[in-house]
Amino acid sequence: MSLKKHILDLRKRKEQVQKGGGDKAIEKQVARGKQTARNRILALLDRDSFTEYDLFVEHEARDFGMDKKQLHGDGVIIGTGTIYGAPICIYAQDFTVEGGSLGLMHARKITKIMDHALKMRVPCVGINDSGGARIQEGVNALAGYGEIFYRNTLSSGVIPQISVILGPCAGGAVYSPALTDFVFVVDNISKMFITGPSVIESVLGEKISMEDLGGARVHAETTGNAHFFSNSEDECFEQIKKLITFIPWSNTKRAKTFPPKPPKFTGNIEDLIPADPRQPYDVRDVIKAIVDDSDFFEIQELWAANIVIGFGRLNGETVGFVANQPLVLAGVLDCDSSDKAARFIRYCDAFNIPIVTLEDMPGYLPGVDQEHAGVIRHGAKVLYAYSEATVPKVTVILRKAYGGGYIAMNSRHLGADFMFAWPTAEIAVMGPEGAANIIFRKEIEEAEDKDVMRAKKVEEYKEKFANPFVAAAKGYIDSVIEPSETRDLLLHAIEVSAHKDDHRPAKKHGIPPF
């Protein structure tokens, strides 16, 4: 056979395999409002940048009629490419081939590209769209999942790992996304659960739809398993592309720098916070008044909204923001918001991203439900994460900083490199009203007009303790600043601490309060 005939044969084979499960299966996939695995990869990556590996891999199962089935690519596509020029490794499960089910060779393809990503120190993106383990392959399928989970863990904190749920992801399959750094979901397409509705109904007698059990909105708003929510696959891909611009390729790199831009915000930053400390405001407005181009990329926006986390840039450099949100529960820390903040802090620390904390919170959320839910253990995660982090850490106290909340939100006592406070800051063991009721109980009870005396003592407490100057006098606050100085001082703090060297005791690893 001549070389030309060999080439034509190769092209014919490639064309056949690239169709996955065939035209009818592709039509069904599109009818569900979903793109094919190959089109998803091409839509996400830079044009003409995708190089595919293991195109001709086939399964090796022989039981239950599998010996008569040809599964092109064994239901998963793997390869490398770029996003805005940044190299990445990627895999996408192909639902048109045996429902994207995972067998031994399917798993080996995934672990091969994961190993490649770790070796080359580049991000790994996994697009999940699978009916789960291939039952006909028995324990081989289970072994495949275990190999994937093991590599997720090895890669954690070394390279960014991104999971995209674009179809079903059930049973053991859900643990790989849970082990990765960021999970993306799409409304009415993404489904994640350990056991499906039919199993729940047969065991517990409870009827529930797939969407209500593990749909995109459930995981974005209720469980916190998803970090980004979108209404379409294309919107989801744009979110991933934007995320890639904020994060480094690996833990030995820093995120790419961009030309500095001033904030688009043109008003007075001090006008963003009400004069009445009991009035809420949106802390995201403060962040947008500080960051380059007023561009703030929020993470887990819909879950535990009393804390705000996300990326912005200062002087072109990526910075992670952790901020109490007075609009929701007065910005208190509770079980979920503590988990949300702690995990993000650890991500930033692992990938050399400075952390800016904006504080305005009355403490931890009180109540029987929170205590029984383990708020002590969950709240301790924030203390652990900030104390453990060695990247540059800067805190600005905007308003309230009471009790354990003051300590937890990156205080000087947990290793903050720079501590700034606005003149509106109230730093105290507890709120003025509660403190006055305790300290001045006798005077208030004996007063002719208890309300007048209470108001007088509240003001007395505020004057003596609920302000930034007592903490500044002790050296716990580096500087009490005007709000308009915030951006310039943050720029300076990040620049000064660019080569920070923070030595810690040698150890295998710590034991965080999981």
Side-chain angles (χ1 to χ4, degrees):
M1 187 184 288
S2 67
L3 177 59
K4 187 173 183 180
K5 286 184 177 178
H6 278 297
I7 292 171
L8 290 174
D9 179 61
L10 171 63
R11 290 176 180 173
K12 184 178 178 181
R13 288 171 182 268
K14 287 177 69 175
E15 183 180 358
Q16 184 180 12
V17 173
Q18 286 174 349
K19 283 189 176 182
D23 293 332
K24 288 185 178 179
I26 290 172
E27 287 173 10
K28 286 182 180 178
Q29 177 84 345
V30 173
R32 296 187 185 101
K34 299 160 63 179
Q35 298 184 37
T36 64
R38 192 168 300 279
N39 285 346
R40 285 165 171 168
I41 291 175
L42 298 178
L44 178 59
L45 300 184
D46 295 338
R47 188 182 179 91
D48 298 327
S49 73
F50 180 56
T51 299
E52 185 172 355
Y53 312 135
D54 290 350
L55 174 63
F56 298 109
V57 163
E58 287 283 345
H59 73 90
E60 297 179 347
R62 293 295 174 263
D63 298 321
F64 306 108
M66 289 298 292
D67 55 325
K68 298 179 179 64
K69 289 187 176 182
Q70 184 179 26
L71 307 181
H72 292 314
D74 204 24
V76 65
I77 301 168
I78 69 168
T80 54
T82 61
I83 294 178
Y84 294 136
I88 69 159
C89 290
I90 190 167
Y91 70 85
Q93 294 178 309
D94 188 348
F95 197 81
T96 70
V97 179
E98 199 73 7
S101 59
L102 184 138
L104 181 61
M105 297 307 294
H106 180 119
R108 282 182 178 171
K109 286 181 70 172
I110 292 175
T111 56
K112 180 176 183 176
I113 201 65
M114 292 175 76
D115 288 340
H116 195 66
L118 186 58
K119 186 190 300 181
M120 302 304 169
R121 293 295 194 265
V122 297
C124 188
V125 176
I127 299 177
N128 296 264
D129 186 3
S130 168
R134 192 173 298 155
I135 300 170
Q136 298 94 324
E137 295 200 28
V139 72
N140 275 341
L142 299 180
Y145 278 127
E147 295 287 343
I148 292 169
F149 304 158
Y150 180 67
R151 284 162 175 81
N152 286 138
T153 306
L154 289 182
S155 298
S156 182
V158 182
I159 57 172
Q161 298 182 85
I162 295 169
S163 294
V164 194
I165 314 300
L166 295 181
C169 183
V174 299
Y175 289 115
S176 179
L179 289 167
T180 60
D181 301 313
F182 300 103
V183 177
F184 290 76
V185 293
V186 177
D187 199 21
N188 296 315
I189 290 179
S190 308
K191 307 287 187 293
M192 276 200 300
F193 37 71
I194 298 294
T195 54
S198 58
V199 175
I200 289 175
E201 183 176 356
S202 64
V203 174
L204 300 175
E206 297 177 14
K207 287 189 176 183
I208 190 168
S209 68
M210 288 179 67
E211 192 66 31
D212 290 339
L213 177 63
R217 194 167 289 279
V218 168
H219 289 300
E221 292 182 356
T222 307
T223 69
N225 289 328
H227 300 82
F228 296 95
F229 173 90
S230 58
N231 292 301
S232 69
E233 292 192 17
D234 288 335
E235 182 186 347
C236 174
F237 298 148
E238 290 304 313
Q239 290 176 337
I240 297 169
K241 291 177 184 179
K242 185 164 185 177
L243 173 65
I244 290 291
T245 69
F246 279 104
I247 59 178
W249 296 357
S250 74
N251 64 350
T252 60
K253 306 283 187 183
R254 292 181 68 90
K256 180 183 176 182
T257 58
F258 284 73
K261 292 182 179 180
K264 289 179 179 176
F265 178 78
T266 55
N268 294 320
I269 190 170
E270 55 263 33
D271 293 339
L272 296 176
I273 295 186
D276 184 348
R278 292 169 295 185
Q279 289 296 312
Y281 62 91
D282 193 338
V283 76
R284 290 172 294 196
D285 293 336
V286 178
I287 297 172
K288 290 174 183 177
I290 294 170
V291 297
D292 290 9
D293 206 33
S294 296
D295 183 17
F296 176 57
F297 190 50
E298 188 170 355
I299 299 168
Q300 291 182 301
E301 179 182 356
L302 303 177
W303 181 64
N306 41 319
I307 200 90
V308 170
I309 60 172
F311 296 121
R313 291 190 182 91
L314 291 172
N315 202 33
E317 300 272 355
T318 294
V319 173
F321 281 85
V322 180
N324 303 114
Q325 176 58 290
L327 274 182
V328 182
L329 296 173
V332 296
L333 282 174
D334 57 8
C335 292
D336 286 347
S337 62
S338 295
D339 286 358
K340 177 178 171 179
R343 192 176 189 276
F344 181 69
I345 293 162
R346 299 194 82 195
Y347 181 86
C348 290
D349 186 49
F351 289 98
N352 312 305
I353 298 171
I355 302 166
V356 171
T357 302
L358 302 181
E359 183 174 0
D360 183 356
M361 52 96 79
Y364 284 91
L365 182 63
V368 174
D369 289 346
Q370 282 294 304
E371 295 290 353
H372 289 183
V375 70
I376 296 171
R377 172 170 50 85
H378 290 273
K381 296 178 185 181
V382 180
L383 302 168
Y384 191 100
Y386 272 126
S387 300
E388 179 188 46
T390 58
V391 292
K393 298 179 290 187
V394 187
T395 298
V396 182
I397 300 175
L398 307 179
R399 207 164 58 172
K400 300 185 185 74
Y402 295 157
Y406 156 68
I407 300 169
M409 292 299 290
N410 194 38
S411 63
R412 169 57 44 77
H413 325 292
L414 298 186
D417 299 300
F418 295 93
M419 289 288 300
F420 303 120
W422 286 9
T424 47
E426 300 177 8
I427 305 168
V429 173
M430 62 190 303
E433 287 79 8
N437 284 336
I438 294 171
I439 297 172
F440 306 111
R441 180 186 300 166
K442 188 175 180 182
E443 290 95 322
I444 293 171
E445 287 179 353
E446 292 177 353
E448 288 185 18
D449 192 325
K450 292 180 175 56
D451 291 338
V452 171
M453 179 60 73
R454 183 179 293 106
K456 179 183 176 182
K457 292 302 181 183
V458 166
E459 288 304 313
E460 184 180 334
Y461 182 85
K462 281 183 180 180
E463 206 170 302
K464 282 191 175 182
F465 297 107
N467 63 69
F469 300 104
V470 175
K474 304 290 184 185
Y476 300 147
I477 301 295
D478 294 314
S479 184
V480 181
I481 65 172
E482 295 183 25
S484 59
E485 298 177 291
T486 305
R487 176 175 160 87
D488 288 340
L489 283 168
L490 288 176
L491 291 172
H492 175 73
I494 297 299
E495 182 180 4
V496 166
S497 56
H499 302 288
K500 174 184 173 183
D501 188 7
D502 194 349
H503 294 284
R504 299 299 171 93
K507 57 184 172 180
K508 187 175 181 180
H509 56 71
I511 317 297
F514 284 142

